[in-house]
Amino acid sequence: MDSVIDFQSKEANDLKAAVLAVLPMLRAVSGGYTCVRFTDSDKPVSADISLNADDISADSVKKAYSELPSERSRFTVFIKGTGYGAVISVSRVSYGDAEDPDHADSFPGDSRDGRVKGKIAIVTGAAQGFGAGIADSLAREGAHVVIADLNGDGAERTAAELREKYGKHAAFSVTANVSDEESVRSMVEKTVIRFGGLDILVNNAGIVRAGSLAEMQKKDFELVTSVNYTAYFLCAKYAVIPMKAAREICPDRMADIIEINSKSGLAGSNKNFAYAGSKFGGIGLTQSFALELAEYGIKVNAVCPGNFLDGPLWSDPEKGLFVQYLRAGKVKGAKTVEDVRKYYESKVPLGRGCRTEDVVRAILYIIEQQYETGQAIPVTGGQEMLN
Ligand SMILES: NC(=O)c1ccc[n+]([C@@H]2O[C@H](COP(=O)([O-])OP(=O)(O)OC[C@H]3O[C@@H](n4cnc5c(N)ncnc54)[C@H](O)[C@@H]3O)[C@@H](O)[C@H]2O)c1
């Protein structure tokens, strides 16, 4: 993205809002790629067709698109009476391997195929753990993935790995705090400006602060609630904006919001009520969002994994739950980390911890299934069973 505008002025912000509204519509109506370049009066723009920022609607965008002269065309959105404009290149064709300077930010050479080919996804908390694994699988299956995490360096490391494995359009990173409204808004805007829209939100970022009623401090309870519960509301609130815009122009388009919940969202968890309460609440949000968003073709479902025993939350040698539970004597008779692990494995009918690939199977099922919403799908090896 080549931006010459610093977005300090009202005009520049009006232009950005107009571009954010236009991009998901153009991408949906073209079924292809978009890229945007903000410009100003010093850099005159040449384009095939112009659209006034005051007049953005599904009808005006559809009409302008139908008048574009070729499959690869350029479009300006401008603010009347000012020098502010943005050039949007839009293309229905893939460019093969040829770099096209006029479409430098489109997706030349991106030949990935797969079950989510061409879809745009945000995965929150994707610097490590389940989130990093989910992001990897979505990119492997052809998606453009935004790696969003409070840990900006970790997010960039994951994104760089995915670009290395799947090509330069597979991923980019955003530093985001999902419990901060402004940060969430900016995460969604960056996604739309870079990739052109949003099809999948995987609401994965989550934290645990365990403790009994006597131990739990209000600040820890509120932190868990803000990251696991309130943030799900914030991410859904901003994610649906581009999803609805795409649907407005293409009435059969569908999108997905997927919450990574937990088996602790299906049954209470001893001395872990802050976490379990936030996850039970997440299922209430999932069902309620599903009812509200069905008319926009946005499916909302939760995946409820069992314990990810190989992941950093459990296996970190310094602060992982195995070490913590061993030290706290939580598992009677356990003398080693291995004893603690065996105890947790023995609670699972299928005899092992949950893995990222188990969660990914559920996510791909949800995305491919066009006739289900508001569900909480257990992926627990049989440890939790629905009534
Ligand atoms: N690990 C398990 O056993 C397990 C089991 C069931 C469900 N889950 C759920 O899966 C999800 C991922 O868990 P994990 O074990 O991979 O966790 P993890 O601790 O390995 O990774 C969580 C990621 O979220 C990020 N994060 C934390 N707070 C954030 C914030 N405010 N904004 C943005 N990013 C933030 C962290 O930096 C980290 O990269 C969570 O929702 C968790 O509740 C985990």
Side-chain angles (χ1 to χ4, degrees):
M1 178 184 40
D2 168 16
S3 173
V4 297
I5 293 184
D6 61 8
F7 294 111
Q8 298 301 312
S9 72
K10 180 182 175 306
E11 286 82 2
N13 274 305
D14 287 351
L15 178 63
K16 185 164 86 169
V19 165
L20 285 166
V22 167
L23 277 170
M25 292 195 216
L26 268 181
R27 176 175 165 267
V29 79
S30 70
Y33 307 126
T34 57
C35 83
V36 61
R37 194 162 67 239
F38 290 98
T39 182
D40 62 18
S41 47
D42 296 337
K43 295 200 175 172
V45 295
S46 84
D48 301 308
I49 237 163
S50 290
L51 200 60
N52 182 349
D54 286 345
D55 178 32
I56 305 290
S57 66
D59 284 344
S60 66
V61 172
K62 213 184 273 179
K63 179 167 176 297
Y65 181 75
S66 72
E67 290 165 4
L68 286 174
S70 77
E71 286 200 310
R72 297 179 187 187
S73 291
R74 297 211 297 172
F75 215 101
T76 53
V77 179
F78 69 97
I79 307 268
K80 226 176 188 167
T82 75
Y84 286 106
V87 186
I88 298 174
S89 304
V90 53
S91 166
R92 271 169 279 164
V93 292
S94 104
Y95 298 116
D97 289 328
E99 291 278 351
D100 177 342
D102 272 356
H103 299 81
D105 280 341
S106 302
F107 304 137
D110 190 349
S111 56
R112 288 174 303 147
D113 210 345
R115 292 167 71 180
V116 287
K117 179 180 166 55
K119 286 188 187 280
I120 295 161
I122 295 176
V123 183
T124 65
Q128 64 170 49
F130 273 146
I134 293 166
D136 187 301
S137 301
L138 292 177
R140 188 191 65 225
E141 293 291 341
H144 308 285
V145 187
V146 179
I147 310 294
D149 205 290
L150 194 54
N151 172 0
D153 291 343
E156 182 44 34
R157 263 196 306 279
T158 303
E161 257 174 47
L162 299 192
R163 288 193 295 269
E164 181 71 25
K165 280 162 90 171
Y166 307 115
K168 66 179 177 180
H169 303 294
F172 80 97
S173 67
V174 173
T175 306
N177 178 355
V178 291
S179 57
D180 178 84
E181 182 161 9
E182 185 48 35
S183 185
V184 170
R185 193 176 62 78
S186 161
M187 166 183 87
V188 173
E189 285 186 5
K190 285 176 178 155
T191 303
V192 172
I193 286 174
R194 172 66 180 88
F195 285 147
L198 182 61
D199 303 300
I200 302 164
L201 165 71
V202 182
N203 189 88
N204 166 80
I207 56 170
V208 186
R209 293 289 182 276
S212 65
L213 280 166
E215 291 157 343
M216 181 63 67
Q217 300 298 311
K218 183 165 176 262
K219 69 172 180 29
D220 290 329
F221 183 86
E222 287 177 347
L223 179 66
V224 172
T225 307
S226 75
V227 179
N228 295 4
Y229 179 70
T230 311
Y232 180 23
F233 146 63
L234 291 176
C235 290
K237 181 180 173 72
Y238 287 93
V240 299
I241 297 169
M243 291 176 177
K244 283 182 177 176
R247 173 79 170 192
E248 208 183 319
I249 202 159
C250 288
D252 56 355
R253 253 189 116 80
M254 298 196 89
D256 283 278
I257 294 177
I258 301 170
E259 189 214 7
I260 304 304
N261 198 285
S262 171
K263 71 177 171 53
S264 302
L266 301 172
S269 185
N270 188 18
K271 297 182 183 165
N272 197 15
F273 56 82
Y275 183 73
S278 71
K279 294 294 185 180
F280 268 69
I283 291 180
L285 296 183
T286 296
Q287 294 185 2
S288 307
F289 295 158
L291 291 171
E292 178 176 334
L293 298 171
E295 69 173 293
Y296 303 100
I298 303 170
K299 297 171 281 152
V300 188
N301 293 284
V303 176
C304 302
N307 294 330
F308 181 21
L309 301 181
D310 295 328
L313 182 79
W314 284 84
S315 287
D316 186 287
E318 313 258 293
K319 47 185 182 128
L321 293 177
F322 287 139
V323 184
Q324 285 186 45
Y325 291 170
L326 180 66
R327 286 185 196 135
K330 186 164 164 164
V331 177
K332 277 198 190 89
K335 295 198 172 50
T336 63
V337 160
E338 209 35 51
D339 293 339
V340 182
R341 170 188 272 273
K342 284 209 178 93
Y343 169 76
Y344 281 95
E345 283 173 351
S346 73
K347 291 164 76 151
V348 184
L350 287 173
R352 64 166 173 85
C354 185
R355 297 178 187 142
T356 306
E357 58 264 32
D358 303 314
V359 175
V360 168
R361 278 188 199 103
I363 290 175
L364 292 173
Y365 161 75
I366 286 169
I367 295 168
E368 286 170 351
Q369 174 58 270
Q370 302 286 292
Y371 191 59
E372 201 50 272
T373 191
Q375 303 303 328
I377 300 177
V379 183
T380 66
Q383 198 172 352
E384 290 303 332
M385 298 184 185
L386 297 181
N387 292 327

